[in-house]
Amino acid sequence: MGLLLLVVLLVAMVDVPLQMFLHKTRLKMSHQEVKQEHKESDGNPQLKGKQRERQRKISQGNSISAVPKADFVLMNPTHFAVAIRYDDKTMRAPQVVSKGADLLAFKIRDIAKHHAIPVLQSPMLARALYANAELDKDIPASLYTAVAQVLAYIYRLKAAMRGDGPMPEEPPQPFVPAELDPLSKVVANTAKP
């Protein structure tokens, strides 16, 4: 009887951990089951991607149609364009009416040129406004001075075009705080050891 109990105990010592392991592996979901559950809980990723693309096209269309209302467009020559509008009678601060990157930036520039809206090259200010300003909202207060310098230049330029004053000199290179320029953040992060 003792020998029989010893054999049963040895078999139980091996079988119980083995059965627990097998039970746990059967409870685990396969990779396909995990993907399917994720798809069901969050929605189909392809469908969500198509919705985001449609929303992006709609917002870009609205953004592009607002370019003719802008007073001027700031560009980083190859990547960013920001169209700004300011009416001192109705606005507290200048507002970004359109912004875009890459191909959309070139489209904004082309529309601005077609509507005789001044296009200025100011890479740091264009990047800072693109990264920190929302469409149809006041620009960040920390960029007021920089945008005011550009606005003053634009007003002098428009007056000279009407024949009301001399042609202004070189466009201003306004100061932009480094923390607002996304490129300086990238450079600072890569320079750290």
Side-chain angles (χ1 to χ4, degrees), residues 8-22:
V8 168
L9 181 64
L10 287 175
V11 170
M13 287 176 58
V14 171
D15 190 48
V16 168
L18 180 65
Q19 291 301 322
M20 289 175 61
F21 173 77
L22 291 174

Side-chain angles (χ1 to χ4, degrees), residues 42-120:
D42 288 346
N44 189 338
Q46 287 86 8
L47 189 62
K48 289 176 82 173
K50 287 179 183 176
Q51 287 174 339
R52 280 194 297 272
E53 182 65 29
R54 199 171 351 174
Q55 289 169 344
R56 191 173 18 260
K57 284 182 181 178
I58 290 170
S59 69
Q60 287 175 353
N62 292 343
S63 179
I64 292 294
S65 65
V67 172
K69 301 174 193 167
D71 290 322
F72 64 96
V73 173
L74 285 173
M75 287 204 64
N76 170 340
T78 56
H79 295 295
F80 301 108
V82 180
I84 297 179
R85 179 173 179 262
Y86 180 61
D87 181 7
D88 60 346
K89 294 172 184 64
T90 60
M91 297 177 168
R92 294 181 307 138
Q95 294 181 348
V96 172
V97 293
S98 180
K99 64 181 183 176
D102 298 326
L103 292 176
L104 190 58
F106 288 117
K107 194 168 187 176
I108 290 170
R109 182 195 63 194
D110 293 342
I111 291 172
K113 286 184 177 181
H114 179 73
H115 290 278
I117 296 169
V119 176
L120 299 175

